[in-house]
Amino acid sequence: MTRATLATSLLGAIAAMVTTVWANPAHAETRHTVTAQDVYVRSAAGSYAMGRLYNGQTFDVQYTDSNGWSYGYAYGYVNRCVWVQRSALSSSQGDGVHNCRTSPKNLYDYEFTNGEIWGSASDGMEYILPRDTYMWDNWSWGNAWGNHNYRGVAPAGSCFKIRYTTNDGGGVMARPCGVSDWFFIQRGAL
């Protein structure tokens, strides 16, 4: 076999492998609708919550793991590549349009936090609020303010579990002690 023939054969084999990988339905991008009341979006499967999608909003699934976590692009008030629980989504509604990176699929810490981590990823650290603070379901990443579904004011003296400070330094992912409902509060209130 000549070098030219070998090179042609090798290029043909590589092209076939690439076509096979991208044709794999586990990596195909399809549009889905949120059928649950809401679903947390996360930095990795089962990891840090980064906000929510609501019933009727859409998600382009790029990959689903064996534990039922899907990675892809979340629309609505999130508008970024994240993870959600697949069970909260409808069956395929057509082709998706956003391409998220394929490896690694987990978000780097700097994409959602400034590095200030409070306690563990699963539960956070208990903290008593020294002053009143605003609360939201989603954060306007990079704008240092909450975004959509304003939850009102958490009063001074309230017990909260704090997880992490947002990458812009303006908010923290938190939940009231004894409640499993995560949302964002102002970092300046701590």
Side-chain angles (χ1 to χ4, degrees):
M1 184 177 280
T2 68
R3 283 186 184 192
T5 306
L6 181 60
T8 302
S9 297
L10 184 58
L11 286 175
I14 290 171
M17 285 181 356
V18 168
T19 301
T20 301
V21 168
W22 288 107
N24 181 341
H27 297 284
E29 208 164 278
T30 54
R31 176 70 47 91
H32 298 263
T33 302
V34 175
T35 55
Q37 180 178 340
D38 60 22
V39 61
Y40 289 120
V41 298
R42 298 178 182 269
S43 61
S47 188
Y48 292 105
M50 296 179 57
R52 295 176 206 240
L53 288 175
Y54 302 96
N55 185 280
Q57 291 182 325
T58 56
F59 187 85
D60 286 351
V61 173
Q62 185 170 319
Y63 171 83
T64 300
D65 72 12
S66 61
N67 294 314
W69 288 95
S70 289
Y71 173 75
Y73 192 86
Y75 295 89
Y77 300 99
V78 178
N79 297 316
R80 64 188 302 153
C81 296
V82 288
W83 289 85
V84 299
Q85 290 176 308
R86 176 66 181 89
S87 60
L89 304 175
S90 68
S91 57
S92 176
Q93 303 294 308
D95 293 336
V97 295
H98 275 284
N99 284 319
C100 298
R101 66 173 183 252
T102 57
S103 181
K105 290 177 183 66
N106 298 338
L107 275 64
Y108 297 111
D109 286 354
Y110 68 80
E111 292 184 64
F112 65 94
T113 179
N114 66 3
E116 188 174 38
I117 306 292
W118 305 66
S120 70
S122 62
D123 197 35
M125 182 179 87
E126 195 168 294
Y127 191 88
I128 303 299
L129 296 179
R131 58 179 95 23
D132 294 352
T133 182
Y134 296 113
M135 304 176 292
W136 299 271
D137 276 352
N138 287 295
W139 193 252
S140 184
W141 299 92
N143 294 319
W145 198 250
N147 178 20
H148 187 263
N149 207 15
Y150 171 65
R151 291 282 194 104
V153 175
S158 299
C159 178
F160 269 75
K161 291 279 193 157
I162 308 296
R163 272 188 167 171
Y164 65 87
T165 301
T166 58
N167 60 353
D168 57 23
V172 293
M173 174 57 72
R175 69 174 175 81
C177 295
V179 178
S180 61
D181 191 15
W182 292 98
F183 46 85
F184 292 96
I185 62 175
Q186 295 172 291
R187 173 65 179 91
L190 302 183

